[in-house]
Amino acid sequence: MSAPSRFDRGHTDDLMSFLTASPSPYHAVANAAERLEKAGFRQVAETDAWDGSTGGKYVLRGGAIIAWYVPEGAAAHTPFRIVGAHTDSPNLRVKPLPDSGAHGWRQVAVEIYGGPLMNSWLDRDLGLAGRLTLRDGSTRLVNVDRPLLRVPQLAIHLDRSVSSEGLKLDKQRHLQPIWGLGNDVRDGDLIAFLEEETGIGAGEVTGWDLMVHSVEPPAYLGRDRELVAGPRMDNLLSVHAGAAALAAVAAADSGLPYIPVLAAFDHEENGSQSDTGADGPLLGSVLERSVFARGGSYEDRARAFAGTVCLSSDTGHAIHPNYAERHDPTHHPRVNRGPILKVNVNNRYATDGSGRAVFAAACEKADVPFQHFVSNNSMPCGTTIGPITAARHGIRTVDIGVAILSMHSARELCGADDPHLLANALVAFLEG
């Protein structure tokens, strides 16, 4: 088996392009699929009968993608090596009746998705993107990637208490963006605008899944350009790294001992309970059908799952120089020091000692350093798709990721070297 080439800063450049082109989960999976198509993968429909042929395949469902590569000679009971991630990010999403306004301002009614840092959405130039559903049931991606909306902050002259008491935002009243002027708010205006933007006939759109995004592009930051600032790193950074690693491993294959998989789910930010979330049946269905398509039995399925390992890759918290007391005093992940291994003994993360050994072996093989993350005991710990995947499928799962600052902000910050260090570690893991 020839070794895949190592990723470098060129990977980070490509990540920045991926972030820009992926303002919604639907765009993210379409872009991941495009990269996999170039690597020889082909889409299979869930409604079709599957065969047991070798090569790369993927399934798209909404904002989720499951992709896998069957090497030559793979047995029905061959275990999987899975990179798990999620495609969604906290943001503002358009309501079913979007047209609103007051006092001569035209506004778009939005709902809070996930747990965003709400202040980070103020006074930014915002675009609008997502998925439109037409009368015939087909869908169309839409991306108005120019300044279209803005959530204006109240001037300090009208709220002097903000200096002494801090900014207080009401989710219902204070985060509705403006997008124009006019006293006559007409139902259907926003969707009619998007139909015109995308060349869809008037009245053809009957459903939508739309969200706002900052139109400011990602950028290198710092004296030596050692940092990257950009949107949706949580968790498109991992989706991008996983797709790149899967494509590289597939291209180098001449006898992989495992079936490498990328599983990028939607709806992690609000609990994963959907048909495209990690708590849904999608991953299990795809893995089982892959086993059965290769002539396997339920026994083969059980054997394959028993030998499977999943790396749940999601961003984590780098030590914050202004709030160091919020971190565990002995675990201080730093940017550009390699991916982090996340541990929580209360199973908010799925990592245990045997999982740590798997990840350590992959990092050693890839010559990639790694760090440890645990939460301060005095603060609640976040969670990921890791525990959900482990519990739902009985798969050994390890939680890892890249350390960032400003998680859940409209614009986050990571080290410029960490994305390609993660991708190299994922290649070694998928190779086994």
Side-chain angles (χ1 to χ4, degrees):
M1 181 168 61
S2 59
S5 58
R6 285 182 61 85
F7 296 110
D8 54 21
R9 279 283 182 98
H11 174 88
T12 305
D13 293 338
D14 189 63
L15 167 63
M16 295 164 72
S17 298
F18 185 78
L19 294 173
T20 299
S22 305
S24 78
Y26 315 108
H27 289 83
V29 298
N31 289 319
E34 181 180 7
R35 282 163 161 75
L36 292 171
E37 287 272 357
K38 291 178 180 178
F41 285 67
R42 62 181 177 87
Q43 184 176 1
V44 294
E46 292 184 79
T47 53
D48 291 344
W50 293 4
D51 59 46
S53 59
T54 60
K57 306 170 186 180
Y58 67 91
V59 166
L60 288 181
R61 185 194 288 184
I65 181 171
I66 310 292
W68 67 102
Y69 180 81
V70 180
E72 191 74 35
H77 61 267
T78 299
F80 301 92
R81 282 287 175 104
I82 304 169
V83 173
H86 68 88
T87 60
D88 59 319
S89 301
N91 56 20
L92 311 178
R93 302 205 171 186
V94 176
K95 290 183 176 180
L97 300 176
D99 299 291
S100 67
H103 307 292
W105 296 100
R106 300 180 68 185
Q107 294 176 278
V108 174
V110 296
E111 190 173 3
I112 310 303
Y113 178 82
L117 286 171
M118 293 186 293
N119 63 293
S120 71
W121 290 92
L122 302 179
D123 295 334
R124 288 188 183 274
D125 296 336
L126 303 173
L128 190 65
R131 178 180 67 174
L132 302 173
T133 303
L134 309 187
R135 288 187 180 277
D136 62 4
S138 64
T139 59
R140 185 84 62 88
L141 296 183
V142 60
N143 182 13
V144 184
D145 195 32
R146 67 175 188 271
L148 179 68
L149 307 104
R150 185 181 180 91
V151 182
Q153 190 168 188
L154 184 64
I156 192 170
H157 313 80
L158 303 178
D159 183 13
R160 296 289 183 180
S161 66
V162 71
S163 296
S164 58
E165 300 177 13
L167 180 64
K168 298 178 181 179
L169 294 172
D170 182 283
K171 293 180 180 180
Q172 179 62 39
R173 293 185 296 128
H174 298 153
L175 291 172
Q176 307 305 309
I178 60 173
W179 76 303
L181 300 174
N183 291 309
D184 183 19
V185 176
R186 297 180 299 274
D187 289 342
D189 275 0
L190 179 67
I191 300 306
F193 165 76
L194 294 176
E195 288 174 334
E196 183 178 354
E197 283 283 307
T198 54
I200 298 173
E204 285 299 304
V205 173
T206 56
W208 51 88
D209 302 279
L210 299 168
M211 58 208 71
V212 307
H213 66 276
S214 172
V215 299
E216 183 181 4
Y220 284 105
L221 185 146
R223 184 192 65 181
D224 299 317
R225 292 165 54 88
E226 68 268 56
L227 302 170
V228 173
R232 300 177 293 281
M233 292 183 182
D234 177 14
N235 186 34
L236 294 188
L237 189 157
S238 295
V239 175
H240 176 262
L246 179 59
V249 169
D253 169 46
S254 62
L256 290 166
Y258 300 97
I259 295 174
V261 179
L262 169 66
F265 302 100
D266 201 354
H267 302 131
E268 189 272 348
E269 297 293 355
N270 62 8
S272 295
Q273 292 184 324
S274 71
D275 69 319
T276 53
D279 203 19
L282 183 58
L283 176 61
S285 174
V286 169
L287 298 185
E288 288 178 348
R289 292 183 69 178
S290 175
V291 170
F292 299 151
R294 283 176 280 121
S297 63
Y298 182 83
E299 182 72 10
D300 292 313
R301 179 260 188 216
R303 293 174 65 188
F305 276 44
T308 292
V309 183
C310 174
L311 288 189
S312 165
S313 181
D314 202 347
T315 54
H317 303 294
I319 180 74
H320 197 302
N322 299 336
Y323 300 91
E325 73 280 0
R326 301 296 182 97
H327 299 263
D328 182 85
T330 59
H331 294 77
H332 287 172
R334 298 172 64 178
V335 301
N336 286 336
R337 298 291 182 89
I340 55 174
L341 179 73
K342 303 178 183 180
V343 178
N344 180 264
V345 295
N346 294 300
N347 288 332
R348 298 291 286 173
Y349 302 130
T351 308
D352 62 10
S354 63
R356 181 193 188 280
V358 171
F359 185 60
C363 289
E364 182 178 4
K365 178 181 178 181
D367 193 25
V368 167
F370 73 93
Q371 311 173 78
H372 295 85
F373 173 84
V374 297
S375 289
N376 186 307
N377 284 329
S378 299
M379 305 184 70
C381 180
T383 190
T384 68
I385 65 167
I388 295 172
T389 303
R392 180 170 183 84
H393 305 293
I395 290 173
R396 181 165 44 151
T397 303
V398 188
D399 272 296
I400 66 161
V402 162
I404 69 171
L405 292 182
S406 306
M407 186 184 294
H408 286 199
S409 172
R411 195 167 178 83
E412 297 160 326
L413 185 73
C414 77
D417 291 326
D418 283 330
H420 65 81
L421 292 175
L422 173 65
N424 286 326
L426 295 183
V427 166
F429 166 73
L430 292 176
E431 286 181 321

